[in-house]
Amino acid sequence: MSGTYFPLHTTLDQDGLKNSLAQNLQPPWKRYDCVDIQYERQNLQSTKGLNFFQALKWSPSGGSIVVLTENQKLTHWPISTTKTDTNEPSLTFDNSGKNAITPSECIYSFTWHPSRNNQKLDSDLIAFSTRDYPIQIYSLSKQQRVSSFYVVDHCERFIGSHCMDFSPDGEYLIAGGTNNFYLFNVHLGQKSPVSTTPTSGHEIPMWEPTLDGVQSSICLNPQDPRTMALGTFNNTVGIYDIHRSRPCQLKFSLANGTGVTHMRWSSDGYGLYVGSRRSTQIEVWDIRYAQDMLYEIKGHNGDTNQRIVFDTLGHEGLVSGGTDGCVSIWKGSQLVEKENVTNQRNITVAAVEKHPFDSSLFALCYGRRCDIMDDEDGFSSIEYWETPFSSLQLLGMENGLA
């Protein structure tokens, strides 16, 4: 597999690039394996029981995937490697090692613990947050909860977190709330937060920047894990130092969308990619000079309330799904690759994540709720109902982008 993914299109203008992409009927993508959820019309009595993939996360070592489905289950799929007749490695989902977590309520967010298990090369722990319950850390091998952490409001009700992340050493769990974010010490096992940092309210002086509303996305800087980007459903982003008494370093508001849904840092730790609801652009900000954004990645096709997860590739590279059923790759603001992965059905690709150690290997999922339509809407054909409406896939780029 080549390590070069981004060609220089120095002789093509934007129209020429679009025509080149349209004529490239066989992009250098290889599908290793996929798991489909298929609906059959004759078995449909109502919309209850329909299901689709919503989100996924690679394990820290890349040996497995945890995926969230609409029925509010977290399914853990190990990835196995086998040899084909041509002696090329083939990756498959290991159904024999699959197991599922069924929380009591709606799942708000989930994330892997970064530390490895003593007997295995991969992490065994996953944290998830649900509505009206404490945050739980769950052991996949033991199939049981090993720890829990809670935040309560003034009425002593549990507060669920819409975004969480672990520090790289696994010692702390950072959880977003409403006008506060919380720090839990995982090693000590203390149930309540070891620190609560207000982002808005009377505790913050008038001259300090504030971040109002429900916090929706957390992203730790890869070059400085103390530095954290915190996004809200109010479409604002704040830069914080999680261990300082005056944590808010910078605040800016997005020009597009109605609420931050996903963020990624660039590899150098200076650029921040921000996606939002109901937006067809991904905004790129330089936290050193945040008076104006650096540039917009247009054609993102994110005009939906659904959270669309994207990932970075090398320097100024980005890979993302969208509502058009395609996986797209940009170099800076320039589109360099586009591939429809939904059999031309234009179902929203909700998540695309690269392998933690192999930038040519991706996991993605797409799906949508399927409601029973009248014939006038054009969705009642047998062919439509017998086609998979949701899929979890492993894709690779064998030869880079030609």
Side-chain angles (χ1 to χ4, degrees):
M1 294 185 180
S2 173
T4 303
Y5 304 108
F6 304 109
L8 295 178
H9 295 275
T10 54
T11 60
L12 289 177
D13 56 14
Q14 288 296 324
D15 292 336
L17 178 61
K18 292 179 181 179
N19 292 334
S20 175
L21 291 172
Q23 295 171 3
N24 186 11
L25 300 180
Q26 294 182 344
W29 294 93
K30 177 181 179 180
R31 181 179 297 177
Y32 288 103
D33 197 11
C34 65
V35 176
D36 291 333
I37 296 177
Q38 185 167 333
Y39 301 154
E40 297 180 3
R41 183 181 180 184
Q42 56 267 28
N43 294 335
L44 286 176
Q45 302 298 326
S46 66
T47 57
K48 293 183 179 180
L50 301 185
N51 202 16
F52 62 90
F53 296 110
Q54 289 183 320
L56 63 88
K57 286 185 184 293
W58 282 101
S59 63
S61 71
S64 60
I65 288 176
V66 162
V67 61
L68 172 65
T69 46
E70 188 202 9
N71 60 357
Q72 299 306 301
K73 287 187 178 183
L74 289 171
T75 303
H76 173 237
W77 255 297
I79 307 297
S80 61
T81 304
T82 58
K83 290 288 186 178
T84 62
D85 295 337
T86 59
N87 290 325
E88 293 183 0
S90 178
L91 303 175
T92 57
F93 292 105
D94 184 7
N95 290 318
S96 63
K98 179 181 70 171
N99 50 39
I101 307 171
T102 306
S104 303
E105 268 291 351
C106 173
I107 297 175
Y108 284 162
S109 60
F110 65 99
T111 186
W112 282 93
H113 188 277
S115 64
R116 293 182 176 181
N117 186 280
N118 292 332
Q119 289 78 29
K120 298 181 179 180
L121 296 177
D122 208 350
S123 176
D124 178 54
L125 302 177
I126 188 168
F128 59 89
S129 173
T130 61
R131 182 179 59 190
D132 301 332
Y133 279 84
I135 297 170
Q136 299 186 28
I137 296 183
Y138 193 88
S139 171
L140 294 169
S141 61
K142 298 178 181 178
Q143 285 289 291
Q144 65 182 22
R145 182 186 64 193
V146 297
S147 185
S148 62
F149 307 98
Y150 63 82
V151 179
V152 295
D153 61 12
H154 63 284
C155 296
E156 297 187 355
R157 295 174 299 192
F158 291 119
I159 299 174
S161 176
H162 289 269
C163 54
M164 299 185 301
D165 203 356
F166 284 99
S167 59
D169 58 4
E171 182 175 0
Y172 293 101
L173 173 66
I174 307 105
T178 302
N179 300 330
N180 297 280
F181 70 83
Y182 309 93
L183 203 65
F184 300 93
N185 193 306
V186 179
H187 291 172
L188 292 179
Q190 183 177 336
K191 303 295 184 182
S192 59
V194 295
S195 68
T196 299
T197 304
T199 60
S200 181
H202 66 276
E203 301 178 22
I204 301 179
M206 295 180 61
W207 56 85
E208 296 278 359
T210 60
L211 211 63
D212 301 327
V214 177
Q215 290 146 16
S216 57
S217 183
I218 285 177
C219 193
L220 296 179
N221 193 309
Q223 300 299 327
D224 180 13
R226 294 172 59 102
T227 302
M228 175 184 70
L230 184 63
T232 71
F233 284 129
N234 286 345
N235 223 30
T236 55
V237 176
I239 306 299
Y240 289 83
D241 187 323
I242 61 176
H243 292 294
R244 291 186 59 181
S245 58
R246 179 186 170 241
C248 191
Q249 310 297 307
L250 179 69
K251 173 190 172 182
F252 55 88
S253 298
L254 302 187
N256 307 286
T258 60
V260 177
T261 54
H262 190 61
M263 297 185 295
R264 275 285 190 268
W265 289 94
S266 61
S267 57
D268 58 12
Y270 296 130
L272 184 66
Y273 298 82
V274 187
S276 59
R277 296 181 300 191
R278 313 299 301 179
S279 176
T280 58
Q281 290 88 27
I282 294 175
E283 300 182 15
V284 185
W285 293 77
D286 190 328
I287 63 169
R288 298 169 297 177
Y289 317 102
Q291 299 297 323
D292 297 296
M293 76 178 77
L294 285 178
Y295 57 88
E296 293 179 340
I297 297 176
K298 298 184 178 180
H300 167 54
N301 295 305
D303 190 13
T304 175
N305 287 325
Q306 189 172 357
R307 189 187 295 263
I308 296 181
V309 176
F310 50 82
D311 210 345
T312 54
L313 288 174
H315 181 62
E316 291 189 348
L318 189 83
V319 57
S320 177
T323 57
D324 57 353
C326 294
V327 174
S328 303
I329 294 179
W330 291 268
K331 175 66 173 179
S333 60
Q334 186 181 46
L335 179 67
V336 295
E337 184 58 67
K338 194 167 187 176
E339 166 75 350
N340 192 299
V341 297
T342 62
N343 297 322
Q344 308 300 322
R345 293 204 171 261
N346 301 338
I347 304 172
T348 299
V349 179
V352 179
E353 280 199 5
K354 73 174 185 295
H355 189 277
F357 301 110
D358 185 355
S359 295
S360 64
L361 179 62
F362 302 88
L364 66 90
C365 65
Y366 64 82
R368 67 179 175 203
R369 181 180 292 107
C370 180
D371 297 322
I372 297 178
M373 304 289 187
D374 297 329
D375 292 341
E376 298 176 356
D377 297 318
F379 297 120
S380 59
S381 67
I382 298 298
E383 178 185 0
Y384 183 87
W385 288 101
E386 292 181 349
T387 301
F389 281 81
S390 188
S391 182
L392 172 67
Q393 298 181 10
L394 290 174
L395 292 180
M397 288 195 303
E398 290 188 300
N399 304 313
L401 296 180

